[in-house]
Structures are given as structure tokens and as C-alpha cells.
Amino acid sequence: MLRSIYDTDHEDFRTSVRAFVRNAIEPHDERFAHEGRLDRELWRAAGALGLLGLCVAEEYGGMGVDDYRFNAVMDEELTRAGLAYACALGIHTHVVSQYLTKRTTEEQRQRWLPGFCSGDIVTAVGMSEPAGGSDLAGLQTRATLDGDQWVVNGSKIFITNGASADLIVTAVRTEPTTGRDGISLIAVDGNSPGLHRGKLLHKVGQHQGDTAELFFDEVRVPADNLIGVRGEGFGYMMEHLAQERLASAVCNITHAQHVLEMTRDYVSTRQAFGASIGSLQHIRFRMADLVTEVDIAQSYVDACVDAHVRGELTPIDAAKAKLKTSDLQNEVVDACVQMHGGYGYMQESAVARAWQDARVTKIWAGSNEIMREVIGRSLQLRG
Ligand SMILES: Cc1cc2nc3c(=O)[nH]c(=O)nc-3n(C[C@H](O)[C@H](O)[C@H](O)COP(=O)(O)OP(=O)(O)OC[C@H]3O[C@@H](n4cnc5c(N)ncnc54)[C@H](O)[C@@H]3O)c2cc1C
């Protein structure tokens, strides 16, 4: 179905992101996967193009774009290069940017945003802990105020860009409370003494991006690195998760589209019993079902992007988009591996890598069980 959310400005931007992918990503993709991380040149190239500071005001070195469709175009093109790129750059551009632009003081914005936009300050967000990621209200990393410094103790796990980040927006408990009260966000400098990074976590897929465990051992952070109001961190996280889930949905559905396209080419040329396997009714029907499902889901995601541009996207609708697209994406990649036969199970085949890359999307950004909880609670069913 013809999509209608983008105009010529978005398509021009797509052309420049594609050129970035062609020049700054594709020639280095194997190396990034081998090294398990992106290099600083890539971050700086993304910064020079304006991708990192897309929604940051121009006075801090950003593009000052207040139209989420540009973020969506960026995600679509990076996803086609590999989900790991959309994830690593996306955490920075679509997730951390919200905290650093909307919850910071003028002094903090001047301190952090120019480097954030240029790629000199790579960022991460540390919420999940070894004892649990779904139950954010149960987080145990603590920060206590000692004079004009916070002293942080605890650990975080599965942190995207965790190994390379220069600034980590870290969720900590600043009050002697339990539950969602008393959680604050503190920006921790990546070079802080006492901050130890575990070795790169060995993921099943998305090998180009780094994911790490972080250990905070008496880490001293200036008091004015507190983001927003003390004790309000849980509310901020819940508010900003909607955009993270939308970004996730945009990537998931693009990934499904992309894998279907490559599979369409494959089944058109692969021969069995004297004809292409695409001419077999079973394959044609399976492809027809998947293409239909993906097109319908794409329309829903586009409607969510549109709603977000108007400031009307609800957390429930974002949760529905994340839930549906990640389930569908995983159904699609699995079916496409099947249609590739044995070649689909080989590490060097693109469809096998897509299958490995996709599995996490049902787990991260709030697992799909948590999405069902969020959506189910909104129904206010009576017991
Ligand atoms: C590659 C990768 C990158 C990530 N990047 C980041 C990052 O940058 N920053 C960050 O903070 N975190 C990140 N995460 C962490 C991610 O958000 C968590 O893994 C996720 O929230 C789930 O938490 P958990 O792994 O602790 O699982 P758990 O919370 O232990 O859950 C285990 C299982 O129990 C289910 N479950 C839990 N509670 C319920 C419930 N109430 N009802 C039904 N089922 C439930 C879950 O759905 C899951 O299936 C990343 C994870 C991965 C794998």
C-alpha cells in the first residue's frame, strides 16, 4: 500500500541517510560485527550529518527538527543496514535526547548537547539491573548525597552503548524508599573513577553494537548532574518510554519488510522440481499472508508516527505498536529462514543474521508480556 506520511523533505533526508549508510556503514559492517562495537568515526560522521542531534535545538549544535517523521526515516534506513545500527544510534538520538533536552537545566544543555550532537559524547541509558529489568520500580542502584556529590553504588546490565558511552543517564534510588517513589536520573561521566565496565556481552545477534554491564563502586558524580527533579525519575522514564517503543516499532516493521523483500527475490530464483519455489502455491500463499500482515501493521505504525507528530500518541498505542510489530517481525523472519531452506541457517546468509538480530525485539524496550500488561490494564476489566 502506498504510504502517505512522508513528503519530499522526508524523502530528501532519506536520500542523505542512505548515502551515509553506503559510505560510513556498509564498508565497515564486517569489522564492526567482528569488534562488537561501532567506532568513533561512525559516530562523528552521524553527527556531521545531523543524525545525532536531530531533535536538539540549533543553538546547541542540533538540527532543531520537531517532526518525528525524520526520526522514523532515520530508523528505517539504519534498520535496512542492520538493526544494531538503528539500536545504537537510536538510543542516543530518540531516547537519551529526550532526557537531555526536556529535563535538563540551561547549564547542563550547554555542557552536554554540543558533544551529544557532534558524536564526541556518545550516550547510553542505564535502567535494567541484574536482578530485573521489567520491574523498574524495584531497581536497587543507590545514590546518596555527600556534600556536592552523589555517591553511586550498584550495577546495570544489558546497556546498549554501555562499553563506549561517555555519558550514561542512570536510574538510581536517591531516597530510602521502595517502589517507584524516590528514583532519580543522574548523568554519570563515562570516565568516572569507580565506574567499571564488564567485558562486551556476547549477544546472539546485532553484533555490530556494544552491550555491556556497568558496575558502580563508590562513583562520585557532581550534584548538578541530577537530571530533572530529585525523586521524579520513574515518571520521566514512563513518559519517555512511549517514544522508545514507537522507535522500536518503526524498526521492527521495517526489518520485516526488508526481510520479506530479500526473500521474495530468493524464492523467485531458487529452483525446485523444475520451477522457481515462488511458483509453488504454498510459498505464494505464505508470502501473501505475511505481506498482508506487514502492510496492515505498517499502516498502524504510520498512524502512530503521525499521532506522535501531533503530540497525541498514547503510551497504550505505543505499547500496541511495539507488541504487534515485534511478534510479527519474528514470525516473518522465521518463515523467511524456512523459505531459504538450508542456506537460511548459514551464518553468512543475510536472512539468518536477520533472524538472530530480531529475537531480542520481543524482550527489550519492555518485554511483550509487559506490553500486554500495559494494554490489558488500560481495558479496566472488572474481576
Ligand atoms: C540487546 C539488549 C539491549 C538492551 N539495552 C538496554 C539499554 O540500553 N538500557 C537498559 O536499561 N536496558 C536495556 N536492555 C534490557 C531490557 O530492557 C530488559 O532485558 C527487559 O526489560 C527485560 O528485563 P529482564 O531481562 O531483566 O527480564 P525479567 O524482567 O527478569 O523478565 C523475565 C521474563 O519474565 C517476564 N515477566 C516479567 N514480569 C512480568 C509480568 N509482570 N507479567 C508477565 N511476565 C513478566 C518477562 O516478560 C520475561 O519474559 C537491553 C536488553 C538487551 C537484550
Side-chain angles (χ1 to χ4, degrees), residues 297-310:
Q298 179 77 70
S299 296
Y300 184 76
V301 173
D302 285 353
C304 287
V305 169
D306 222 13
H308 196 43
V309 171
R310 295 192 309 273

Side-chain angles (χ1 to χ4, degrees), residues 239-309:
E239 191 183 325
H240 297 322
L241 272 172
Q243 181 163 305
E244 181 172 352
R245 287 171 185 159
L246 176 61
S248 178
V250 168
C251 297
N252 298 342
I253 201 65
T254 306
H255 196 234
Q257 297 269 22
H258 181 59
V259 175
L260 273 176
E261 284 160 20
M262 69 170 78
T263 303
R264 189 178 163 171
D265 290 344
Y266 184 79
V267 300
S268 302
T269 53
R270 177 72 177 170
Q271 300 283 308
F273 302 100
S276 76
I277 59 171
S279 66
L280 300 170
Q281 189 184 54
H282 168 75
I283 301 267
R284 223 168 44 238
F285 277 18
R286 190 75 183 109
M287 288 288 284
D289 284 343
L290 295 173
V291 164
T292 304
E293 290 259 359
V294 167
D295 274 1
I296 290 170
Q298 179 77 70
S299 296
Y300 184 76
V301 173
D302 285 353
C304 287
V305 169
D306 222 13
H308 196 43
V309 171

Side-chain angles (χ1 to χ4, degrees), residues 125-128 132-134 158-160 203 360 363-364 367 369-370:
V125 61
M127 299 182 191
S128 304
S134 300
F158 307 137
I159 305 308
T160 300
K203 302 191 293 293
V360 73
I363 297 171
W364 69 15
S367 72
E369 290 72 29
I370 296 300

